[in-house]
Each structure stands twice: as structure tokens, then as C-alpha cells.
Amino acid sequence: MGRLKILNNQTTGVILCGGKSSRMGRDKSRLKLGGSTLLDVTRQRLSTVTENVFTAGREDCDFIDTYKDKGPAMALFSLLEQADVEDGARLLCMPVDMPLCSVACLQAALDASRNNNCSVYALDAVMPLVLLYSEEGFRQLQQRTAENASLSLRGLLHCFNGEAVDLQRFGNELMNVNDPDDWAKINELTK
């Protein structure tokens, strides 16, 4: 199979699900909320606002993170290396462990990216984020990772002219599940 093409006239959803889940003690993508796994919940929400959705991370994902255990920015870099991404393509990215993130929140991030014609990220939470791909940004990213094998999401977004957007109005929707206490809060909020 050839390299997957990500087109510039489409928005592609990317679910990051490659973490070790060490604080949680089990695979977060398989946790069940309202009868569905977090992976299924995230895929469904992203598919509402994007043309296609891919997973990035572990061995069973569409894109396997070749920089295992180096964090979400390196997982995204790995995806960009593996895919054939056209200039102007938008990638709406979110972690699998943000199950309260609504379609309205995702749409707000996309709208900000489209209105400002740039990559955007949540001011306080970083994700969800929209990466507006450019070859120039990818070259900068390659140079940055060649100099340092570690990369933050903000560092990645800097290469693609990322701007922070205020999504605080979505409150708890930006909450991640990191440990059993967070999971208990999520379940309480969804009752």
C-alpha cells in the first residue's frame, strides 16, 4: 500500500492514542463511557466535523508512532512523515482521553483555523488543535527534530504558525483522563 494522501480540500481528524496510560493503569482508548469506548466516542465526534478520521500511536493504529514514548508532538511528526500531506490540508487533532470534548468545541477550533487561515490550539489545554499543513512548516519541523529528538506540541505548532484560541467557554470539555480520579470525575460529569 502506498502512502496515505491527506488532501488540501478536506479536514482530516486525527486521534492520538499512543500513550502508555501508566497513571491510569490500563489502556484509556478501551475505557467505556455510556457503553462506547473512548476511541469510539472520539472517532464519532471527529467524524461529525471531518471527512475522514485516522488514529496515530500504537501498533494497531492507522499511523504507527515511530518515535514511541516521545509524546504527542512526535507522534504527529511521525504521521506527517508517513502520509502524503498536501499544502493547505487541515488536521483536527485530539487525544483519545478527552471524552467530554463536544462537536461544538471541535467546530470552534476549525472555525478559528479557517477564519484566521492558520494552525490553532486551545489556549489553556493545547488540544484540540488544528494543524494547517505547509511544506515550509514541515521543513522547519524536520530541522527542529533533527536538532532535538524531543518536541512539544507548542513547538510543533510554532513551525506551522500556530495561534492560541480561547476555548475556555467549553470548560470541562477540555479535561483529560490521566488517572482513576480523573476517570471518576468524567463519569460523574456524564451522569
Side-chain angles (χ1 to χ4, degrees):
M1 182 172 116
R3 290 170 29 126
L4 183 70
K5 192 161 190 78
I6 298 176
L7 305 174
N8 65 6
N9 62 345
Q10 295 182 337
T11 299
T12 297
V14 177
I15 304 170
L16 297 170
C17 49
K20 293 189 275 187
S21 301
S22 54
R23 288 179 284 172
M24 188 64 204
R26 55 190 167 148
D27 183 350
K28 292 187 276 188
S29 70
R30 290 183 172 84
L31 293 173
K32 292 225 173 182
L33 186 65
S36 298
T37 66
L38 293 191
L39 180 58
D40 290 339
V41 167
T42 306
R43 185 183 307 277
Q44 187 279 327
R45 295 221 174 106
L46 279 171
S47 67
T48 303
V49 294
T50 64
E51 283 78 15
N52 42 56
V53 178
F54 299 106
T55 55
R58 317 180 289 261
E59 298 293 322
D60 60 344
C61 289
D62 299 308
F63 293 96
I64 298 169
D65 180 4
T66 57
Y67 302 96
K68 199 172 198 108
D69 301 329
K70 296 286 186 185
M74 291 304 287
L76 277 174
F77 177 55
S78 181
L79 177 151
L80 295 174
E81 287 182 313
Q82 294 172 52
D84 181 7
V85 187
E86 291 184 347
D87 260 14
R90 278 190 172 74
L91 288 80
L92 175 56
C93 308
M94 67 180 291
V96 73
D97 64 357
M98 195 180 273
L100 300 180
C101 189
S102 68
V103 170
C105 181
L106 296 172
Q107 189 64 58
L110 272 175
D111 290 345
S113 174
R114 289 178 180 134
N115 293 340
N116 298 321
N117 200 34
C118 66
S119 297
V120 298
Y121 59 94
L123 179 63
D124 292 329
V126 183
M127 288 205 239
L129 65 84
V130 180
L131 182 81
L132 179 58
Y133 183 84
S134 70
E135 284 293 328
E136 175 58 31
F138 186 65
R139 280 191 291 277
Q140 288 180 32
L141 185 58
Q142 286 175 311
Q143 182 177 353
R144 183 172 261 193
T145 55
E147 294 166 359
N148 182 1
S150 179
L151 181 69
S152 70
L153 284 169
R154 284 192 173 100
L156 178 142
L157 286 158
H158 178 77
C159 296
F160 294 97
N161 301 314
E163 293 182 8
V165 293
D166 186 357
L167 298 175
Q168 290 179 348
R169 67 187 177 273
F170 295 101
N172 286 334
E173 291 185 26
L174 303 177
M175 180 180 167
N176 287 80
V177 177
N178 292 310
D179 57 40
D181 290 338
D182 291 344
W183 183 236
K185 288 177 195 169
I186 294 284
N187 278 287
E188 187 62 34
L189 288 168
T190 57
K191 282 186 178 176

